Amino acid sequence: MDVGLLLVNIGLIIMLLASLGLTIIGMPGNIVIFLTALAYGFYDHFVHLSLMDLGIVLGAIILGEVFETFTGAVWASREKASKRAVIFAVIGTVIGGLIGTAFTPIIGSIIGALAGGFTVSWFVEYQLTNDKEHAIRVATSVIKGQILGVIIKFTIALVTIIYLLFNLAW
């Protein structure tokens, strides 16, 4: 094997593992996975990673992002949350994640997203129903859904990385 190819493969593996770490902390690791695979495809002239492979990776990554974004809201609706609370749960999750990232990029991202989703969904649901217990059930279900969304997204990222590793030129 060519030393240059070996170094490129090692660099790719390092980037993919770093991307997996980014994914678990709520950063755009899945996007980095795709961009890394795309760069490898250009390097390899799409011999080992074809455009079809990249399409599969892109589809999986989009699916993971959708799950992460909306699973909390879907779980909130299981508790008969209002549409407003469901919409604001998604917004609170994003804003909380950004604020948490500003304070502590790794742990703060996760804590901020969870706290933002919980707080906003609780507040909106309580304002609409005046029922603290119901608002807490809705907010708790948002948290459960968010955690499930991150697990699904991480799993998709891991499977995507394994798929890419099997397609590298060795």
Side-chain angles (χ1 to χ4, degrees):
M1 177 192 295
D2 171 339
V3 173
L5 179 61
L6 179 65
L7 292 175
V8 168
N9 284 354
I10 290 171
L12 177 85
I13 292 168
I14 291 169
M15 284 297 296
L16 292 176
L17 292 175
S19 300
L20 193 60
L22 289 173
T23 297
I24 196 70
I25 62 168
M27 301 299 284
N30 283 358
I31 295 167
V32 176
I33 290 170
F34 175 74
L35 294 176
T36 302
L38 181 63
Y40 188 88
F42 276 111
Y43 168 79
D44 190 45
H45 303 289
F46 300 100
V47 173
H48 292 91
L49 284 180
S50 69
L51 291 175
M52 180 181 245
D53 292 327
L54 291 173
I56 290 169
V57 169
L58 182 61
I61 286 169
I62 290 171
L63 186 64
E65 294 296 328
V66 167
F67 269 108
E68 182 191 36
T69 302
F70 294 106
T71 307
V74 169
W75 275 58
S77 65
R78 292 175 64 184
E79 287 292 333
K80 297 186 178 33
S82 65
K83 288 181 183 180
R84 189 178 301 171
V86 170
I87 291 167
F88 278 94
V90 173
I91 295 168
T93 298
V94 172
I95 292 172
L98 292 173
I99 292 170
T101 302
F103 286 105
T104 310
I106 296 173
I107 301 298
S109 304
I110 297 169
I111 293 171
L114 294 174
F118 182 90
T119 304
V120 171
S121 61
W122 178 87
F123 180 77
V124 170
E125 194 66 27
Y126 180 70
Q127 290 297 312
L128 293 172
T129 64
N130 240 7
D131 183 352
K132 287 182 184 179
E133 293 301 316
H134 176 69
I136 288 172
R137 283 194 312 273
V138 167
T140 302
S141 66
V142 166
I143 297 295
K144 289 176 185 177
Q146 288 175 329
I147 291 169
L148 178 63
V150 168
I151 291 169
I152 291 170
K153 181 180 173 181
F154 178 80
T155 303
I156 289 172
L158 185 61
V159 169
T160 302
I161 288 172
I162 292 168
Y163 177 78
L164 290 171
L165 292 178
F166 275 109
N167 285 297
L168 295 183
W170 293 103

